[in-house]
Amino acid sequence: MNPATYDSIVKPLTVNDLAAMKLRGEKISCLTAYDASFSALIDKVGVDMMLVGDSLGMVIQGHDTTLPATINDMVYHTRCVSNARRRAFIIADLPFMSYTTPAAAAKNAAKLMQIGGVQMVKLEGPRVEIVSFLVDQGIPVCGHLGLLPQCINQLGSYKVQGKEPADAAKIIADAHQLQQAGAGLLVLECVPAVLAREISAQLGIPVIGIGAGVDCDGQVLVLYDMLDIGIGKRPRFSRNFMQDAASIEAAIHAYHQAVKQSQFPSAEHSF
Ligand code: KIV
């Protein structure tokens, strides 16, 4: 097809498209992205979603945690990603302390949508009141449960969450509450695969896992981890897709295919 024709008919995926993918059992692929060049490449490969994660505080800015990433950093990188996107659904993180009240959350989410150009914002934890308020303002929200990197100073380390029955039950209950509050997606980070499978089966909204086993409705990885160019140690749940790839595009394609065919994550990359 003529590239100009392709450009004119390709439309960005919507939250309804993602919900339909869950219904028909099609896995949703997602990678983090922080700039226009990678955004264009990820989009060209056909990855369904891009997350402008506050992980940029670590992989772009070189901090030890995600906490120093500010709303202005997030807006800047989100705009860079949006500028080059054609099809992929774009989500951005509300960074640490940017959603302490419903009004602050709405003001910062509006910046990500109006200036950054995202279709949905993500926030960490069972912040049901904030999610409900944002949804009432017409702002689509993705929840994030399990390991919450913005709480690293309370957690002490990046460890698997929900291993004890009571903790698992709390995560399940929180997931239902977020769905009831109107969240359109849920990210589950670093939880046992059996727990993620249960939550994915119980919820109507798509559940995107990272270190949460193969039975989630989709998968996300930090781009620099799967390309093995991160400055820190690659997390156990990530895989080096560059290992057998001739180019970055081929590595991203291999990840996308592995997610679509439920070949990633394997047991080795799950808990
Ligand atoms: O910031 C980020 O990249 C994330 C993913 C790890 C899910 O939130």
Side-chain angles (χ1 to χ4, degrees):
M1 187 187 300
N2 177 329
T5 312
Y6 174 80
D7 282 358
S8 64
I9 60 170
V10 172
K11 298 258 184 315
L13 292 177
T14 67
V15 70
N16 296 336
D17 294 323
L18 300 174
M21 287 166 79
K22 171 167 178 139
L23 274 180
R24 62 175 182 265
E26 179 183 344
K27 298 281 183 183
I28 300 167
S29 60
C30 179
L31 282 172
T32 65
Y34 317 99
D35 67 40
S37 298
F38 272 118
S39 168
L41 195 56
I42 292 168
D43 197 272
K44 180 181 160 200
V45 165
V47 171
D48 302 308
M49 281 176 21
M50 289 190 274
L51 168 67
V52 187
D54 59 359
S55 50
L56 70 82
M58 299 171 83
V59 299
I60 300 289
Q61 299 174 333
H63 297 295
D64 288 343
T65 71
T66 61
L67 273 54
T70 65
I71 187 66
N72 288 344
D73 296 333
M74 297 306 302
V75 169
Y76 171 80
H77 286 280
T78 301
R79 185 69 254 164
C80 296
V81 169
S82 304
N83 283 344
R85 173 284 302 267
R86 299 212 171 277
R87 174 183 173 272
F89 187 81
I90 306 183
I91 305 181
D93 271 329
L94 279 167
F96 181 61
M97 296 302 281
S98 70
Y99 49 102
T100 51
T101 63
K107 184 170 155 234
N108 289 316
K111 287 185 188 171
L112 289 169
M113 293 182 82
Q114 292 183 303
I115 309 170
V118 290
Q119 291 150 287
M120 181 178 266
V121 299
K122 174 163 87 60
L123 55 82
E124 294 186 11
R127 310 290 295 276
V128 177
E129 187 203 349
I130 303 275
V131 171
S132 172
F133 184 79
L134 291 178
V135 171
D136 283 350
Q137 312 306 311
I139 299 172
V141 180
C142 174
H144 182 151
L145 295 173
L147 177 64
L148 307 178
Q150 291 177 10
C151 295
I152 186 61
N153 290 318
Q154 288 173 325
L155 295 170
S157 66
Y158 295 100
K159 55 185 179 242
V160 182
Q161 305 292 306
K163 288 209 283 196
E164 299 303 322
D167 298 335
K170 164 101 172 73
I171 295 175
I172 294 174
D174 288 345
H176 279 281
Q177 285 213 334
L178 287 174
Q179 175 173 263
Q180 269 161 22
L185 289 176
L186 177 69
V187 165
L188 272 183
E189 179 165 356
C190 275
V191 298
V194 285
L195 174 59
R197 182 173 62 212
E198 189 58 37
I199 294 173
S200 305
Q202 287 186 19
L203 294 194
I205 59 174
V207 174
I208 311 298
I210 173 163
V214 74
D215 292 317
C216 297
D217 304 305
Q219 300 292 330
V220 57
L221 282 181
V222 170
L223 176 70
Y224 292 10
D225 288 341
M226 56 77 75
L227 295 179
D228 207 29
I229 54 172
I231 46 182
K233 192 167 160 267
R234 181 160 36 89
R236 200 200 103 181
F237 57 74
S238 193
R239 187 172 120 192
N240 175 8
F241 281 87
M242 272 310 282
Q243 201 163 20
D244 302 310
S247 65
I248 289 175
E249 183 173 337
I252 294 172
H253 182 74
Y255 166 75
H256 174 64
Q257 289 303 319
V259 171
K260 290 285 173 189
Q261 292 160 13
S262 301
Q263 288 166 352
F264 178 82
S266 60
E268 169 196 0
H269 300 107
S270 306
F271 302 106

